Amino acid sequence: MQLPPALCARLAAGPGAAEPLPVERDPAAGAAPFRFVARPVRFPREHEFFEDGDVQRHLYLQEVLMQVADAPEKPRVPAFACQVAGCCQVFDALDDYEHHYHALHGNVCSFCKRAFPSGHLLDAHILEWHDALFQILSERQDMYQCLVEGCTEKFKTSRDRKDHMVRMHLYPADFRFDKPKKSRSPASAEVPGDSGERSEGEAMEICSEPVAASPAPAGERRTYSHRSVSKLFLKHVLNVCSVLRILGCTWAAALLTLNSER
Amino acid sequence: MWSRRQGRLRPTVCGVEELRRRRREQEAALRKARREQQLVSKRLLREDVPEEAGEGCVAAILGEAEVQQFLRQAQRGTEEKEREGALVSLRRGLQHPETQQTFIQLEGSMRTLVGLLTSNQALLQLEAARCLHELSHSEHSTIAEACLPATSYLLTYLSGHSPDFIELCLYTLGNLIVESEAVRRQLLPQGIVPALAACIQSPHVAVLEALGYALSQLLQAKEAPEKIIPPASASSSILASTLPQHMLQMLQPGPKLNPGVAVEFAWCLHYIICSQVSNPLLIGHGALSTLGLLLLDLAGAVQRTEDAGLELLACPVLRCLSNLLTEAAVETVGGQMQLRDERVVAALFILLQFFFQKQPSLLPEGLWLLNNLTANSPSFCTSLLSLDLIEPLLQLLPVSNVVSVMVLTVLCNVAEKGPAYCQRLWPGSLLPALLHTLAFSDTEVVGQSLELLHLLFLYQPEAVQVFLQQSGLQALERHQEEAQLQDRVYALQQIALQG
């Protein structure tokens, strides 16, 4: 198919429309038996006209190897530890560290050190757990906002909110990022690396041991497993932790060692 | 900017001819699947690539005991590396459909996996997500449905910050969406549309591409035109969200245009537009203008590189433009301005040439746009003449019957505008070409040739004489018994004999 040489130049030049030649139709043009009528055509979704193009699209999506070729072997670096206070994770690949950081230190509550998967959930948490004004207002009006993005419903209690999320949004009843304050079981281990019952524990919301003493939030009645831990013990733990970090041990192993010593 | 990612070269165990033959067979099977509306496309992100069939896969099928063991290790192991390793082994096993079945039949397995997905160990999270991704690729909707407990978390993680993880969640969601209506029925109330609308503001290209993929799968759902696209469906509506504006932004040509991302969103737009739900809304957002500029950009790219990947983007763009041009709103809304630009015609022909060389099966789609551009536009018809594009158009006639009919239709669009147009079609290759197409056996091709001849005789009477001299009557006679053509053949014979 040969294109006129001037065509490329036309494309490169500026916009413009051709001055249309005069249109002059003869009624005999549309007279029977001839039936041509100039008209734009539309094709709906499943029309067979789209067959070939759809097949090409399908083949493109199935090209697994295209993805693979782009993902190179993770570059390895000398082992290093997470610099966030209280975290002893060690890494040998930057990608792993990046994911760890985003997951565990990205959206962290500055009051209680809990980590959340998103800023949205963190904001809701701070409001509901650490804001005295919220507590006061919630006695008079519906303050508990639905956690689903885009839903503006508010509720009197977190229980009501949960019911709404289960009924209207088909969320699981044990959705891990919507734990009501009072039902926190003291046995929920805050230790990262704990491999116990996930269904009861605070899965995502880890508490790195309060290295910086968290200011006692007003109006709270939470029971932490470590609330009773003495300052001296904490200091001891920290020292051991930094030693073990150098040795590349995990937090869990550290505590296990400590526990067996006590 | 337009360089295509190269797939890893497969070991050539067979010759090029053999590969072509297999490819043709594969395409034929896929066309059949599409006709039966069984075409389900999925995307799989996988690091370990099994070698070509015959050499065996990297991982073996896992039995129930092994699956249980890996799950237990992942959940309760003491060493992190051990836990991660267990999940990696599980993930490899899940490449096999048999292992997938075993997994979902095992009590508590999904619960454990979801627990790991939401654990505080980032790398376990990632591996658990990869396991889910393998499951999402299954062809059995039961397996997709077994993943339902995980969906609220996959959606929650879309508003996180780890791009790799978000990408994985998106591809997994996309795969699950396309597989099962039950999954979609859950995801919509769970807020997938607002979650995607929030996620589309990510600066990461890989995330955007994955999002486009997931969205395209959602839009392809058979219930999409009623339940997902229309603005009236409130919180689960695509058109009521900010997604359309963002989609169009991703399609604007310029240094920020990423081909992989653009391909996905162009397909999304196509699914919305061909559902014909609320296209004036899109025109109001500037869709025509954006797509028109993108078409120009594509033509420029085609000229610069030998890249064979551009048709992946060209195809949906052509479809969107063609369908949008049928909307009455085109006349009233300012967006039409761009499409008075005759560079669009120039661009289209450059793309037609590209298709002719690389992907002839897309010629009809390009010609469809040409028809919609020229049908009601004296300006574009004049452009065809003044840019000398009639000749190249005629060169497409031999490609196939479908292409012939469309070429003839476009020529009719030009000819029906009157004598000023027909004069410019004469003399030239038009009459010889018509005499040639009259010799075809396809009724539609011949029918359209007769229509064009009629217009030519009407507005350019000198053509009659030349027609007669070149044995035109004999060409007509061939078809005088054909029911669909008889009347027109007779009428033309009369005109020719009188002229």
Side-chain angles (χ1 to χ4, degrees):
Chain A
M1 188 191 179
Q2 295 271 31
L3 293 176
L7 199 66
C8 301
R10 182 62 198 91
L11 185 68
E19 190 55 48
L21 294 166
V23 177
E24 208 185 305
R25 291 186 181 97
D26 187 321
F34 297 98
R35 42 200 193 240
F36 177 76
V37 177
R39 62 163 71 90
V41 174
R42 68 162 55 149
F43 289 117
R45 293 174 71 112
E46 291 303 329
H47 202 280
E48 62 178 4
F49 184 76
F50 292 142
E51 215 170 82
D52 282 306
D54 283 358
V55 165
Q56 297 304 319
R57 163 76 174 156
H58 177 92
L59 287 170
Y60 168 68
L61 288 178
Q62 301 291 87
E63 277 295 317
V64 179
L65 298 181
M66 277 184 70
Q67 297 292 331
V68 174
D70 274 343
E73 209 4 84
K74 267 193 290 198
R76 303 269 161 195
V77 296
F80 64 97
C82 178
Q83 289 304 298
V84 173
C87 181
C88 306
Q89 286 290 94
V90 173
F91 303 93
D92 65 356
L94 290 173
D95 282 352
D96 291 348
Y97 176 61
E98 198 195 12
H99 181 62
H100 161 87
Y101 186 88
H102 285 313
L104 299 186
H105 305 304
N107 294 294
V108 174
C109 173
S110 51
F111 295 100
C112 63
K113 309 298 172 203
R114 273 182 180 72
F116 292 85
S118 70
H120 174 233
L121 288 170
L122 172 63
D123 290 343
H125 161 83
I126 291 177
L127 203 59
E128 293 168 20
W129 287 57
H130 302 295
D131 188 330
L133 185 61
F134 180 91
Q135 297 303 321
I136 294 167
L137 287 174
S138 69
E139 278 154 34
R140 295 179 205 187
Q141 40 183 272
D142 295 342
M143 295 286 288
Y144 285 87
Q145 166 112 45
C146 175
L147 295 176
V148 174
E149 187 105 39
C151 179
T152 51
E153 296 281 329
K154 293 193 176 173
F155 301 88
K156 191 108 182 74
T157 66
S158 68
R159 173 95 224 176
D160 291 343
R161 178 196 38 212
K162 176 187 280 302
D163 285 345
H164 162 83
M165 284 174 63
V166 169
R167 266 181 310 106
M168 297 303 291
H169 296 295
L170 307 184
Y171 263 56
D174 62 350
F175 187 61
R176 286 148 215 271
F177 308 124
D178 177 27
K179 295 289 180 191
K181 290 202 300 197
K182 298 200 173 93
S183 73
R184 288 208 47 215
S185 79
S188 63
E190 302 308 338
V191 177
D194 176 79
S195 49
E197 278 297 290
R198 284 289 163 225
S199 50
E200 293 308 303
E202 298 293 346
M204 194 58 191
E205 302 165 10
I206 52 139
C207 234
S208 22
E209 288 307 310
V211 178
S214 42
E220 295 241 41
R221 284 199 313 275
R222 291 196 306 262
T223 41
Y224 281 152
S225 57
H226 64 259
R227 260 325 216 189
S228 56
V229 168
S230 71
K231 267 197 183 168
L232 203 60
F233 174 62
L234 282 175
K235 201 155 168 255
H236 184 51
V237 161
L238 260 184
N239 288 339
V240 173
C241 183
S242 48
V243 166
L244 287 171
R245 188 186 302 177
I246 296 165
L247 296 177
C249 295
T250 64
W251 180 229
L255 261 169
L256 280 172
T257 323
L258 287 168
N259 276 338
S260 62
E261 281 173 22
R262 288 179 90 207
Chain B
M1 177 177 100
W2 290 96
S3 62
R4 173 162 151 104
R5 294 182 293 185
Q6 290 304 310
R8 194 204 290 187
L9 294 171
R10 289 181 209 222
T12 36
V13 288
C14 39
V16 175
E17 261 315 302
E18 175 64 20
L19 277 173
R20 280 209 194 110
R21 192 188 61 78
R22 277 196 203 165
R23 176 90 172 189
R24 278 197 296 271
E25 270 172 16
Q26 190 188 22
E27 286 183 5
L30 289 171
R31 268 192 281 272
K32 177 166 183 292
R34 196 211 177 265
R35 254 173 265 139
E36 293 161 10
Q37 300 189 11
Q38 293 291 324
L39 197 62
V40 171
S41 324
K42 288 190 178 173
R43 222 172 196 184
L44 177 64
L45 300 174
R46 193 185 268 173
E47 284 170 15
D48 314 317
V49 180
E51 293 296 278
E52 279 293 340
E55 296 196 20
C57 286
V58 174
I61 299 173
L62 300 177
E64 193 177 293
E66 289 166 291
V67 171
Q68 256 176 337
Q69 185 204 7
F70 286 136
L71 280 173
R72 209 177 292 127
Q73 261 181 311
Q75 197 183 23
R76 313 229 175 107
T78 47
E79 284 297 319
E80 249 175 81
K81 286 293 170 196
E82 181 197 329
R83 297 174 74 187
E84 210 187 311
L87 272 182
V88 170
S89 305
L90 178 62
R91 193 231 315 155
R92 288 207 180 118
L94 285 172
Q95 288 175 13
H96 296 280
E98 294 92 332
T99 315
Q100 291 169 356
Q101 281 294 340
T102 306
F103 179 86
I104 66 164
Q105 277 156 18
L106 205 54
E107 200 182 309
S109 58
M110 186 53 73
R111 191 170 178 70
T112 307
L113 193 60
V114 171
L116 291 162
L117 179 70
T118 56
S119 77
N120 55 14
Q121 294 293 337
L123 297 180
L124 285 182
Q125 259 193 348
L126 206 47
E127 276 307 322
R130 288 192 184 123
C131 289
L132 266 173
H133 185 72
E134 287 294 338
L135 286 167
S136 77
H137 205 254
S138 162
E139 285 164 10
H140 301 282
S141 53
T142 45
I143 304 222
E145 280 149 32
C147 296
L148 281 170
T151 59
S152 60
Y153 298 108
L154 290 172
L155 285 180
T156 303
Y157 289 135
L158 293 187
S159 44
H161 292 294
S162 174
D164 288 344
F165 193 58
I166 296 175
E167 188 191 357
L168 191 58
C169 291
L170 283 166
Y171 279 120
T172 305
L173 281 166
N175 289 345
L176 292 174
I177 284 168
V178 78
E179 193 52 61
S180 152
E181 191 175 347
V183 168
R184 299 192 291 266
R185 271 203 305 269
Q186 174 163 296
L187 279 172
L188 286 167
Q190 281 184 343
I192 186 169
V193 173
L196 291 176
C199 193
I200 203 168
Q201 303 184 43
S202 166
H204 300 279
V205 159
V207 168
L208 292 173
E209 195 174 334
L211 196 152
Y213 166 72
L215 189 56
S216 73
Q217 300 295 47
L218 192 59
L219 290 165
Q220 257 197 305
K222 64 183 197 309
E223 73 273 19
E226 295 104 59
K227 304 213 177 114
I228 305 178
I229 299 175
S233 20
S235 64
S236 57
S237 158
I238 301 281
L239 283 177
S241 76
T242 53
L243 284 166
Q245 291 100 303
H246 282 114
M247 278 195 254
L248 285 170
Q249 258 171 11
M250 310 282 173
L251 293 171
Q252 272 162 13
K256 284 206 199 140
L257 181 69
N258 178 284
V261 172
V263 165
E264 297 310 311
F265 287 112
W267 280 94
C268 286
L269 215 52
H270 162 60
Y271 295 132
I272 295 178
I273 291 172
C274 70
S275 302
Q276 279 144 16
V277 171
S278 193
N279 289 337
L281 190 73
L282 287 169
I283 294 177
H285 284 312
L288 270 174
S289 154
T290 302
L291 290 167
L293 287 171
L294 186 54
L295 194 74
L296 299 185
D297 202 53
L298 272 168
V302 154
Q303 292 175 283
R304 285 194 301 272
T305 71
E306 271 304 305
D307 190 35
L310 291 172
E311 76 275 11
L312 294 164
L313 181 52
C315 174
V317 170
L318 289 171
R319 292 180 179 191
C320 288
L321 278 169
S322 305
N323 263 330
L324 279 179
L325 283 171
T326 65
E327 297 290 334
V330 163
E331 299 303 318
T332 52
V333 179
Q336 216 232 345
M337 243 20 233
Q338 271 305 323
L339 283 167
R340 289 232 178 90
D341 186 347
E342 70 174 355
R343 291 182 301 171
V344 169
V345 174
L348 185 49
F349 268 81
I350 291 172
L351 286 172
L352 284 173
Q353 184 193 48
F354 172 68
F355 291 156
F356 184 70
Q357 288 158 356
K358 296 275 156 68
Q359 194 73 259
S361 60
L362 286 179
L363 279 170
E365 306 218 16
L367 289 168
W368 173 32
L369 179 58
L370 192 57
N371 174 71
N372 285 8
L373 284 171
T374 53
N376 292 331
S377 171
S379 174
F380 280 134
C381 288
T382 307
S383 295
L384 269 186
L385 296 164
S386 60
L387 293 172
D388 287 321
L389 294 171
I390 303 297
E391 208 63 39
L393 202 52
L394 291 172
Q395 286 168 26
L396 292 175
L397 281 169
V399 170
S400 70
N401 287 336
V402 171
V403 169
S404 295
V405 170
M406 298 184 88
V407 167
L408 291 166
T409 307
V410 170
L411 291 167
C412 284
N413 286 347
V414 177
E416 70 91 29
K417 306 243 170 346
Y421 294 77
C422 283
Q423 273 161 28
R424 300 280 290 268
L425 288 172
W426 179 263
S429 323
L430 182 56
L431 195 55
L434 277 175
L435 286 163
H436 185 66
T437 55
L438 278 176
F440 282 25
S441 50
D442 184 270
T443 318
E444 253 201 280
V445 175
V446 176
Q448 209 65 7
S449 311
L450 296 173
E451 297 285 346
L452 186 53
L453 257 182
H454 167 62
L455 290 166
L456 197 59
F457 287 173
L458 188 60
Y459 295 129
Q460 191 67 25
E462 297 108 79
V464 180
Q465 273 311 309
V466 184
F467 177 73
L468 288 171
Q469 283 158 15
Q470 303 203 346
S471 323
L473 279 177
Q474 285 91 307
L476 284 176
E477 262 159 39
R478 281 189 60 181
H479 304 289
Q480 42 190 33
E481 300 305 314
E482 179 62 51
Q484 297 223 27
L485 304 170
Q486 280 175 332
D487 298 339
R488 292 180 281 180
V489 166
Y490 181 72
L492 280 173
Q493 283 168 329
Q494 296 308 302
I495 295 172
L497 291 171
Q498 282 159 20

